[in-house]
Structure formats: structure tokens, C-alpha cells
Amino acid sequence: MVALGRELGASYAFVERNFRAVRRYWGWEVVFLFYSIVNALTVAYIAPGGVLVAGQQFDADRLILFLVVGTVVWAYLNSVFDSVAFMVSWERWEGTIESTFMAPIRRVTFIAGSSAFAVLYSFARAVVILVVVALFFSLDLGAANWVGAFAVLAIGSLGLLGIGIMSASLPLLFLERGSQMTVVVQAALLLVSGVYYPVEVLPDWLEWFSVISPATYVLNAMRDAVLDGVSLLDLLPHFGPLMLITAVTLPLGVWVFGWAERYALRHGRLKRSG
Amino acid sequence: MQPAVSIDHLVKRFDPAGVGGAWRRALGRPLKDPIVALDAINVTVRRGEVYGIVGSNGSGKSTLARVVATLLLPDSGSVQVFGHDVVKDARTVRRFMNRVSVEASFFKKLSPLENLSFTARIYGLPAREAHQRIFEILKRLGIEEKAIRRPMDQMSRGQQQKVAVARALLTSPVLLILDEPTTGLDPRSKRDVQDFIREVRDTHDATVILMTHDMDEAEQLCDRLAVIDKGRILIEDKPAALRREGESLEDAFIRLTGHAVEVDEPDKTAAGGGG
């Protein structure tokens, strides 16, 4: 019990330190947040713009809501993935990777702390984006099932964390290219998960990849919950694949990370020098 | 009495091809010879002593420091720290050991207080006690109170290195590995750090392993010295015993290795094991 408390305290250390780092880099945080808000607005304006371009009437309000849910949820998921996938690169960039990996804590404690920060930080960011975007459009959120939406986000985050943890191990294997590979994974998730369109519009071979992306199920379920106010019970079919993906990716992610760390320790790849 | 550190036939090689080596092997392409960083090293460090390892850049000092510090896995041989194997029992070893490396590794935008508070939490120190100790140690090292709350990127390298020493001491290690702690520091900071190492030796129940290529520093601080060159320990003795009459320690080093010690320069190999 004491050991568990110590590991939890150590996990919290990463949350606290990372939030302190965010505060110190506040200028960049404001700029990135501003960019994310503008990006969300730009995407949402595609809906009314589409009416003019197509020259015929369609339910632009529903499309706006569809796109807003897509951009805000993606802003959240992308930020979670980003924070977790780059946890090793970040430590390496700051030069702290050796002191962090030399600390007498379980590796899962480091991963849990970094993941908890990722979820809290990304959620706060997504809320700000949603609030600002809502000021620009008269979004009809009266029917939204927020409890269902939060449940989806919670379960969906876990599945994405698993993939993020696996991606985080890439820089341990490949000093330079590991981070580049992580960006490729991130881009692939954006393409196949139906962030701005239903995945059915993708070519068959691409649509297949959407099945293994947790973001697909999160986005579908969030749209059901927010656009149509689908009840928690009726959202359950989305939970099955999400829980399955989580059950596979989360333990696999932790295992892969441990394996990659051992590889890095054997080949002297923990620290990037020069 | 059980030694603090016992290193037995330690061997470490690096494959210069890295991950690409596996592809070359699979394709039947010729492989470059591995670099032998540590070649059958045998060292015993007694409890409470300051044990110096002197060598030039690329001699294997930092690689040895990393293996003892559980940051690098050996290819063969063993390293025991207070009877615990650094591979099989790494987490236990980490609990009573700390390391100061040539570069002060911190979140540079955070203050010394924030960086050290993070360390305190990681090591499970109570927040109030940690806060008090952080101020005590940093003030003792000559860091001004207002600087303790300022971002570390506003501090000189010498001050940053003092914070690195403070971080190591905050965790009350019984084994302190100092890997070129004064390399690249201005004379004043160098002297401050060296004074503090002396104080640790005299007042704490700690064993210190000091990797350095500064012969004066080695002679002043170390109870015993080992000369390492090309991954091999050439000789080990008390500093005075390594010198012949009229010889400086640097002369002795040149006589033993056949070359002079290079000037200060941080390690730069891919493995981070330049020394």
C-alpha cells in the first residue's frame, strides 16, 4: 500500500511538472490554442460555405455541428496522442531523459503520469476551443447527451493512449526517425478516423483502417451523443470496439515500451548526443 | 565488509550500425566491427571512499558511469552496488544512488525549486521537508534565494551544475556518481563544486565515484584512482602511489597511456559514452 502511494505520488510529479512547463511556455501555449481555435472555426465555416458552393440547400446547421464535434474531439484526441507519443522525445529534448529513467520508479508510473497530464491538459484545451467556437455559431446542443459524451471520451482516451504509448517507444528505437514516425501515425489516424467526414466516403482499402482506429468509434459515438442525443444505453454498441481496442493496445503499449527501453539501454540509445 | 561497488569482468560493445545493423545482417552485407567501450573491467570501490576514474575523452569513463547508474546494460560481466545487481535489481540500486553528469539535465524553463520539487516527489520525499532541504542545499551551494524561483535558463552553466549536484544530494544517495561534474565550468564554479564534493566526502556517509580527466581534481579529491584507456583499466592505486618521484599525475598518465589528456569537452558519441 505504501509502495502504491509512492508510485501514485511519483505519477503526480509528472502531472505537476508538465503543467508547470506549460505555464512557463505560456506564450507558445496561447499561440497554439489560438491556431487550434482558428482551425476549428475555419473547418466549421465549410458548412455554410458549402451551401453557396453547391448552389442548393441542405441542413447546414447539422453539418456545422458535425464538423465542430469533429474538430473539437480531434483537437482533444490529437493533443492526448501528441502529449503521450512525444513523452520520450520531450524528455530527450529537455535533456532529462537519463535522470527520469534513473529514478527509482516503475516505468508504468512514468507512463501513467504522462498520460494523466495528457488527458487533463487536452480536455481543458478542448473545452476552451468548444466554448469559443460556440460563440461564433448558434449551435443547438439542447438535445446533447453529455453524460454519454464524457463516457465515450473517457473510454476512447484509453484506447488512444495505448497507441500513443507504442508510438512513444519509437524514439527509443530510432533516435532521429522515431519522432518522425510518430507524426506519420498521427497523420494516418487523422485520415482514416472520419474527423471531418463519415468514413464511408473513403476508398474501401482506406476505410478498412478506420476499423482499427479508436478515434473512429469515439467520433461516431460523440456525434450520436451530441447531435442526436442518443442515450447511454444506445451508445453501448460503440463501447464494445473501444473496450476491445483498449484491452489490446494499452497492455501492448506498456509491453512494447518496456521492450524498447531495454533495447535503448542495451544499445546506448537513451540519450541523443551531439 | 561488503564493497560499495563491485565490477567484475565488465564488457560493453557498441554496434556502430545501430538498428541498421540488423538489416545489414539480414541482407548478408558486411558489418562494421563493434566498438569495444569497456574491455573486461574489474573494479572494487570501498564504502565511504572517493574513487576516481581518470581517462581522456572516449576512454570509456562515461560508459562505465552509465552501466553503474543502470542507464546502460552490459554485454557480459556484472556490476553489484551494495550487493544488488544493476541489471536484475535496477530499481533497488536506483533508490540509493544518484548521478551528476557533465551537462546539467533539467527542464530549463522551470526554476531550480520546480525541478528539485519534481525530484523530491519522484523519490517520495514529503513536500514540506523537501522544500526546506532544497533551500538549504541550494543556499549552501551559493545559489541566491531569488534565483531559486527563476527559470534555469537564466542561470550560468556553473550555477546549473550546482543545482545538479543539489538534486543528487536531495535524494540522500549512499552512492554518488559524478561524471565530469566540473567540465567546462569557470574556475570559481569549479572550486565551489569541488569544495562541495569534499564536504560530501567528509560529512555524509556516501561513497563517491568521480569520473574526470582533470588530474588536479582527481589528485585533490580521490582516495584511490584508476586510469582507464581504450576501455581498459591500466592501473589502480592511491594518487601518490601512481606518481614516480618528481612526476606530476599528468606525467604519470602520459607515461601509462602513451598520450596526453585532452582539453575539456563534453562527450559526443551516439551512445553518450564519450568519456
Side-chain angles (χ1 to χ4, degrees):
Chain A
M1 207 61 190
V2 175
L4 178 67
R6 198 167 53 209
E7 296 292 329
L8 284 172
S11 257
Y12 176 69
F14 290 97
V15 177
E16 185 182 54
R17 181 199 63 180
N18 292 357
F19 270 114
R20 281 176 167 164
V22 165
R23 199 181 62 199
R24 294 280 188 182
Y25 284 105
W26 69 269
W28 280 111
E29 287 301 324
V30 170
V31 169
F32 287 140
L33 186 60
F34 175 75
Y35 185 90
S36 297
I37 291 168
V38 170
N39 181 58
L41 286 171
T42 310
V43 170
Y45 275 117
I46 289 172
V51 175
L52 296 177
V53 173
Q56 51 187 320
Q57 281 300 316
F58 57 81
D59 189 351
D61 287 344
R62 185 172 172 81
L63 183 55
I64 289 172
L65 206 49
F66 180 95
L67 290 171
V68 167
V69 170
T71 52
V72 174
V73 171
W74 178 249
Y76 168 77
L77 295 177
N78 187 48
S79 174
V80 168
F81 182 83
D82 215 52
S83 303
V84 173
F86 286 95
M87 62 184 161
V88 168
S89 305
W90 194 9
E91 296 276 350
R92 193 177 270 158
W93 184 72
E94 293 279 0
T96 52
I97 189 156
E98 288 193 327
S99 61
T100 297
F101 275 51
M102 219 178 71
I105 55 169
R106 292 177 187 279
R107 199 54 66 228
V108 76
T109 302
F110 164 63
I111 294 170
S114 301
S115 301
F117 162 77
V119 168
L120 293 170
Y121 166 77
S122 305
F123 186 74
R125 251 181 130 259
V127 168
V128 173
I129 295 169
L130 178 62
V131 167
V132 176
V133 171
L135 296 174
F136 281 76
F137 301 96
S138 48
L139 301 177
D140 181 12
L141 298 170
N145 170 12
W146 292 112
V147 175
F150 284 124
V152 168
L153 218 51
I155 297 170
S157 303
L158 293 175
L160 199 77
L161 285 174
I163 299 174
I165 294 163
M166 274 187 257
S167 302
S169 54
L170 289 171
L172 291 170
L173 301 174
F174 310 95
L175 282 173
E176 202 66 56
R177 290 183 191 148
S179 301
Q180 295 163 357
M181 290 177 190
T182 303
V183 176
V184 172
V185 174
Q186 211 169 0
L189 286 173
L190 172 63
L191 178 66
V192 304
S193 303
V195 175
Y196 305 122
Y197 40 76
V199 293
E200 289 78 14
V201 303
L202 293 169
D204 287 347
W205 66 272
L206 260 183
E207 193 184 338
W208 186 88
F209 286 102
S210 71
V211 176
I212 55 170
S213 165
T216 307
Y217 303 100
V218 175
L219 285 156
N220 285 341
M222 285 295 279
R223 283 175 175 136
D224 281 356
V226 176
L227 269 72
D228 300 321
V230 168
S231 71
L232 195 57
L233 201 64
D234 291 329
L235 286 174
L236 286 181
H238 294 294
F239 289 4
L242 279 176
M243 282 156 117
L244 184 66
I245 289 172
T246 302
V248 174
T249 60
L250 208 51
L252 186 64
V254 173
W255 184 83
V256 168
F257 193 94
W259 176 82
E261 182 187 346
R262 280 191 297 281
Y263 178 90
L265 294 180
R266 186 159 295 287
H267 295 274
R269 289 180 165 259
L270 205 54
K271 175 173 160 276
R272 182 183 177 281
S273 302
Chain B
M1 192 164 74
Q2 189 185 50
V5 178
S6 177
I7 302 173
D8 187 24
H9 282 86
L10 178 66
V11 175
K12 184 68 202 169
R13 298 184 191 89
F14 291 112
D15 181 358
V19 179
W23 289 105
R24 295 183 78 85
R25 212 170 285 126
L27 295 169
R29 299 257 177 89
L31 291 167
K32 289 180 188 168
D33 290 335
I35 298 161
V36 181
L38 299 175
D39 189 3
I41 298 276
N42 292 296
V43 167
T44 301
V45 181
R46 298 173 196 140
R47 283 177 187 237
E49 75 173 334
V50 178
Y51 188 91
I53 297 180
V54 293
S56 45
N57 291 329
S59 60
K61 294 189 306 290
S62 292
T63 302
L64 182 57
R66 283 192 170 84
V67 174
V68 178
T70 74
L71 293 169
L72 204 53
L73 294 174
D75 291 338
S76 63
S78 72
V79 180
Q80 305 250 323
V81 175
F82 295 102
H84 298 275
D85 188 277
V86 295
V87 177
K88 294 179 193 145
D89 211 359
R91 207 145 47 87
T92 307
V93 171
R94 287 167 184 164
R95 205 162 286 145
F96 44 68
M97 177 203 62
N98 218 315
R99 167 177 171 257
V100 177
S101 64
V102 64
E103 64 284 272
S105 50
F106 290 103
F107 268 54
K108 299 282 195 305
K109 280 281 171 203
L110 299 187
S111 66
L113 180 61
E114 288 168 330
N115 272 297
L116 268 57
S117 297
F118 167 72
T119 301
R121 275 203 196 281
I122 290 278
Y123 281 78
L125 300 178
R128 189 174 297 174
E129 183 194 323
H131 195 268
Q132 197 182 336
R133 287 199 63 196
I134 288 167
F135 274 84
E136 271 171 23
I137 299 173
L138 287 175
K139 279 185 185 170
R140 164 65 195 85
L141 278 164
I143 307 286
E144 286 177 34
E145 188 153 350
K146 58 184 178 187
I148 294 174
R149 296 179 192 275
R150 276 199 203 137
M152 290 198 58
D153 58 6
Q154 294 178 14
M155 301 177 101
S156 69
R157 211 180 94 62
Q159 284 179 312
Q160 289 183 13
Q161 196 64 343
K162 287 178 187 176
V163 180
V165 173
R167 175 174 60 188
L169 289 171
L170 181 65
T171 63
S172 303
V174 283
L175 174 64
L176 190 56
I177 301 169
L178 303 171
D179 186 4
E180 309 247 13
T182 61
T183 296
L185 297 190
D186 60 273
R188 167 85 193 272
S189 300
K190 194 171 188 168
R191 203 178 56 229
D192 286 348
V193 171
Q194 288 173 346
D195 284 347
F196 205 64
I197 295 169
R198 272 190 206 96
E199 191 179 312
V200 169
R201 181 189 61 184
D202 297 342
T203 59
H204 291 64
D205 182 25
T207 304
V208 179
I209 300 179
L210 173 67
M211 316 286 180
T212 184
H213 58 231
D214 183 327
M215 294 297 152
D216 290 337
E217 179 173 278
E219 183 148 26
Q220 285 172 34
L221 297 176
C222 300
D223 299 309
R224 287 192 302 148
L225 276 179
V227 176
I228 189 170
D229 191 50
K230 294 175 187 151
R232 304 195 72 140
I233 299 284
L234 302 180
I235 195 166
E236 176 201 74
D237 215 326
K238 290 180 179 171
L242 292 177
R243 288 189 273 109
R244 285 178 184 166
E245 202 167 325
E247 225 183 25
S248 69
L249 194 58
E250 189 149 1
D251 294 335
F253 181 87
I254 294 168
R255 172 171 49 80
L256 289 162
T257 62
H259 58 81
V261 185
E262 288 90 343
V263 290
D264 280 358
E265 189 186 329
D267 54 2
K268 280 191 175 146
T269 64

